[in-house]
Amino acid sequence: MLDICVSAPGKVILHGEHAVVYGKSALASSLDLRTVLYIKTAPSGSSVTLTLPNIGLERRWQTTDLIDLYETLPNSDAQNVSAVGKSTLRCLQQFAGIAEEDTDPKQLAVIAFLYLHSLTLSTLSRGDPVSLSVVVESALPTAAGLGSSAAFAVCLSAAVLMVAGTVSRTQSKWESGELELINKWAFEVERIIHGDPSGVDNTVSTYGGLVLYRKSERMRQIKVPPLKIIIVDTRIARSTRVLVQRVREKCSKVSMLS
C-alpha cells in the first residue's frame, strides 16, 4: 500500500511584492506555518478522493473515469515540465464540471490536481485497482498573501512525483535536481490558479529560508539569524489573480512604472 505525507511552508514577501512580477528582485521568507498533504490507499474500491477541509472541498472520481480522461490528454512526462495547454484545460474543466470563466481558487485547485495527477497514468493503468485518498490540511489562512496556494502546489507536485517514482519518497532525502523538478511543476500549478505568477511563492515554499528572487535568474538563499516577524491577519480575503491584474492595468497606463 502507498502512504505518503509531504509538507511545505507558507511565505511572506518582505520587499518587492508586485515588482517581482515585472522582473525586479524580491526578498521573501518562508514561515513556520505549513500545509500538509496525505495520500492513503485502501485495497477495496477503485476511486480517487480529493479533500481540502480548510476550504470545504471534497471531490471523488472513479479511477476508470480518470484513466479514460488522462488517455485523451497529450502524453505527459513527469521529468519534462509542461504548461497546461488550452485544449487540455478545457478537457479538465468539462470533466470536472467547471465553467471556462470560473476563477474561483477552489475550482482551480481541482483543475490543478487533475492536471498533475494525470502524470500518474502509467501507475493507475497497471496492477489491481485501489482507492486513493488525498487530504490537504493547512495552518495557512487562504487569500491572505501568505502563500497558501504555493504550499498546496509544492505539496501536490511533490506527492505526484513520489507516486510516479520520479523523486524519493523520503522528503528529507530530496536532492537539488528533485527540488528543482518539484519547484517547476509547482510553478505550473500556480499558473493554473493565479494566471501569471512571478514564481517567488513556489520557490520559497520549495526551498525554505530567506530567498532573494528574480525572474529568469537562479534564486539565492541568504543566511541570516532567525527573524521574528509579526504578521496580522485582517481576515479580509483578497484574490492574488485579481490584484496582479489590477496592478498590470495600472502599469499599462503609466509607462514609467513598467
Side-chain angles (χ1 to χ4, degrees):
M1 293 296 97
L2 173 68
D3 288 324
I4 285 174
C5 176
V6 61
S7 72
K11 69 85 178 84
V12 59
I13 296 181
L14 304 175
H15 176 76
E17 176 82 37
H18 284 281
V20 68
V21 177
Y22 301 92
K24 307 301 182 182
S25 295
L27 185 64
S29 173
S30 60
L31 297 175
D32 192 20
L33 296 171
R34 304 183 73 88
T35 291
V36 184
L37 184 149
Y38 305 92
I39 294 181
K40 293 187 177 182
T41 57
S44 59
S46 181
S47 64
V48 174
T49 304
L50 172 67
T51 306
L52 282 73
N54 294 69
I55 60 174
L57 171 67
E58 180 169 321
R59 298 291 298 268
R60 178 180 286 106
W61 305 276
Q62 291 302 306
T63 303
T64 52
D65 292 338
L66 291 176
I67 292 174
D68 290 342
L69 169 67
Y70 297 160
E71 286 179 341
T72 68
L73 304 180
N75 291 330
S76 296
D77 180 0
Q79 290 280 9
N80 298 310
V81 181
S82 58
V84 59
K86 289 185 177 179
S87 60
T88 297
L89 180 61
R90 187 61 193 132
C91 284
L92 297 175
Q93 289 168 330
Q94 291 176 339
F95 177 82
I98 298 172
E100 285 187 67
E101 64 278 5
D102 196 337
T103 58
D104 180 356
K106 183 187 299 187
Q107 304 298 350
L108 296 175
V110 172
I111 298 299
F113 171 79
L114 291 173
Y115 181 55
L116 258 71
H117 190 244
S118 69
L119 298 176
T120 67
L121 174 60
S122 60
T123 304
L124 287 172
S125 302
R126 67 174 183 261
D128 296 327
V130 296
S131 284
L132 186 72
S133 172
V134 180
V135 179
V136 185
E137 299 178 344
S138 185
L140 292 160
T142 59
L146 296 180
S148 61
S149 66
F152 166 74
V154 172
C155 286
L156 177 59
S157 301
V160 166
L161 293 173
M162 286 177 175
V163 173
T166 310
V167 304
S168 169
R169 290 184 180 172
T170 304
Q171 185 170 355
S172 61
K173 293 183 179 180
W174 286 339
E175 298 180 352
S176 60
E178 293 174 309
L179 287 169
E180 184 177 2
L181 187 62
I182 290 168
N183 191 36
K184 287 180 177 179
W185 276 115
F187 179 64
E188 295 307 325
V189 172
E190 282 281 85
R191 290 181 67 184
I192 292 173
I193 296 175
H194 292 308
D196 186 25
S198 66
V200 64
D201 288 20
N202 52 276
T203 298
V204 174
S205 190
T206 299
Y207 292 95
L210 187 66
V211 170
L212 184 64
Y213 178 89
R214 187 170 186 170
K215 272 185 174 183
S216 303
E217 295 183 6
R218 292 192 68 85
M219 67 90 189
R220 183 156 60 95
Q221 287 184 297
I222 300 174
K223 300 290 186 181
V224 295
L227 298 176
K228 292 184 178 181
I229 302 172
I230 297 176
I231 297 175
V232 179
D233 183 5
T234 64
R235 301 188 183 276
I236 300 175
R238 292 181 174 86
S239 166
T240 298
R241 175 187 285 261
V242 171
L243 290 174
V244 169
Q245 182 58 35
R246 286 178 182 172
V247 172
R248 186 176 300 280
E249 291 170 357
K250 293 182 182 298
C251 283
S252 66
K253 296 176 182 178
V254 184
S255 59
M256 66 177 290
L257 295 179
S258 59

